Amino acid sequence: MRKKLTKAIFPVAGMGTRFLPATKSVPKEIMTLVDRPLVQYAIDEARAAGIKEFIFVTSRGKSALEDYFDHSPILEQELERKGKTDLLETLQDTNMDSGAIAYIRQHKALGLGHAVWCARRLIANEPFAVILPDDVIAAEKPCLEQMVEAYEETGASMVAAMEVPPEKTSSYGILDVQEDMGSIVSVKGMVEKPKAEDAPSNLAVIGRYILTPAVLRNLNKKKTGAGNEIQLTDAIAEEIGKEDGGVYGYRFRGQRFDCGSKAGFLQATVAFGLARDDLREDLSRYLSEIVQIDKAAQ
Ligand code: G1P
């Protein structure tokens, strides 16, 4: 019987230089969208998809991220004493069970494939998910949960996929589609960050993966690819065409924000703010006011 997906890897070792000076002392993943750190969105999505073991691949300077998941008894007692049950619940959602979360250091920044490989002993011979917290996806049914349902049909490695403007292919892993079945596509090739003129399509890999343990074995070779880094894309691509392998792309339903970029982070902040009952009215009034002022000034 196929093993159930219960483990997820969160590669969070990046230095977040695009957000300096903020990331000088705060890990990028702790930066907040409205009032929750990026990483909390990733954890919630993983939980909704049935993930029970959370593996963070970190680096120097990420201790705030480890502290974030600790219980905070003094704060909890204080909120309880004051009867602030809503806040208490919000806080308790951030607690992780003892032993459910592991931190592994990536000692050298050798690429995303290398970061995932660092977690190999905790994964052993099981399928696993990879979630890149920079990619925040707003969806009625969380993206990874949608993928788990599709994976139950295919049983093969699967990457989240989304059409991007052709001039943006050089920022993504790009799929060469064999058969397009709508939300699921079978893949006959994958290229990391090709120039527009070399890209086999404009269907891009987004930071959600369900992978078979064979991908970890491929990473053992530590082969470098685009940007001279060990690429996860290449290790997944090795599974294409194998009898017990294969790779699928999954066009998820939802809106993806690139929170690795400042513009994407701001857009996500507005979208998540507008989605909140307690903020919608004030925020939308403010937005329409500034749009009018901007138009009048033109
Ligand atoms: C990584 C992957 C790339 C993927 C992207 C999604 O790139 O290497 O294949 O398309 O995430 O966000 P990065 O953005 O870390 O450079």
Side-chain angles (χ1 to χ4, degrees):
M1 208 180 77
R2 191 176 299 152
K3 282 196 180 135
K4 215 171 146 19
L5 182 78
T6 59
K7 296 181 178 176
I9 301 176
F10 302 80
V12 291
M15 290 205 292
T17 46
R18 278 198 261 176
F19 285 93
L20 280 169
T23 45
K24 198 175 153 203
S25 65
V26 181
K28 182 176 59 177
E29 299 75 19
I30 290 291
M31 290 186 5
T32 50
L33 266 184
V34 190
D35 51 13
R36 287 140 48 88
L38 276 190
V39 71
Q40 185 68 49
Y41 291 88
I43 288 283
D44 289 350
E45 188 177 328
R47 277 183 174 149
I51 298 297
K52 303 277 182 264
E53 289 178 56
F54 305 81
I55 303 161
F56 282 79
V57 182
T58 70
S59 61
R60 190 184 297 266
K62 296 278 177 167
S63 50
L65 193 62
E66 300 190 21
D67 295 345
Y68 175 77
F69 292 111
D70 279 350
H71 289 236
S72 32
I74 297 176
L75 200 53
E76 287 183 21
Q77 276 165 25
E78 191 61 15
L79 293 172
E80 203 163 344
R81 198 176 60 80
K82 291 186 175 159
K84 298 194 169 173
T85 41
D86 282 7
L87 278 180
L88 188 62
E89 270 172 36
T90 305
L91 196 66
Q92 283 167 345
D93 274 350
T94 67
N95 294 342
M96 297 293 259
D97 291 342
S98 301
I101 188 160
Y103 304 95
I104 299 263
R105 285 262 191 148
Q106 185 188 21
H107 294 106
K108 285 186 194 162
L110 298 177
L112 179 61
H114 179 259
V116 167
W117 177 79
C118 287
R120 66 200 176 281
R121 294 203 174 87
L122 294 176
I123 299 293
N125 199 28
E126 287 180 36
F128 60 100
V130 177
I131 297 189
L132 308 186
D134 271 3
D135 280 333
V136 174
I137 300 172
E140 217 163 284
K141 181 182 280 190
C143 178
L144 192 63
E145 193 181 345
Q146 296 176 36
M147 288 173 71
V148 167
E149 287 170 10
Y151 167 77
E152 275 162 9
E153 283 173 37
T154 64
S157 287
M158 176 172 279
V159 300
M162 179 183 103
E163 261 84 21
V164 297
E167 68 277 11
K168 297 271 192 215
T169 56
S170 61
S171 301
Y172 297 94
I174 299 291
L175 302 180
D176 193 355
V177 175
Q178 172 149 39
E179 195 186 344
D180 197 329
M181 295 162 274
S183 47
I184 300 182
V185 302
S186 66
V187 168
K188 63 171 182 229
M190 280 175 91
V191 198
E192 181 67 7
K193 305 199 167 100
K195 289 194 212 126
E197 58 270 31
D198 303 327
S201 76
N202 66 332
L203 191 58
V205 177
I206 298 303
R208 302 288 183 275
Y209 307 77
I210 297 177
L211 302 175
T212 59
V215 174
L216 285 178
R217 291 193 287 277
N218 299 340
L219 285 168
N220 276 335
K221 298 173 204 156
K222 299 205 190 129
K223 230 168 49 197
T224 52
N228 213 19
E229 293 189 336
I230 300 171
Q231 296 293 353
L232 184 59
T233 298
D234 297 341
I236 299 170
E238 275 190 49
E239 289 309 295
I240 295 169
K242 283 196 190 161
E243 207 172 301
D244 55 350
V247 177
Y248 293 89
Y250 181 80
R251 284 197 188 92
F252 54 93
R253 295 175 302 283
Q255 192 180 2
R256 173 257 186 177
F257 297 94
D258 174 12
C259 289
S261 79
K262 287 177 213 177
F265 205 106
L266 286 171
Q267 287 160 16
T269 303
V270 172
F272 280 82
L274 289 174
R276 284 266 296 254
D277 291 344
D278 55 337
L279 299 171
R280 187 178 307 113
E281 209 181 307
D282 281 354
L283 182 59
S284 59
R285 190 180 319 118
Y286 171 71
L287 290 173
S288 50
E289 273 167 23
I290 53 170
V291 168
Q292 276 163 20
I293 294 171
D294 203 39
K295 270 193 192 148
Q298 279 168 13

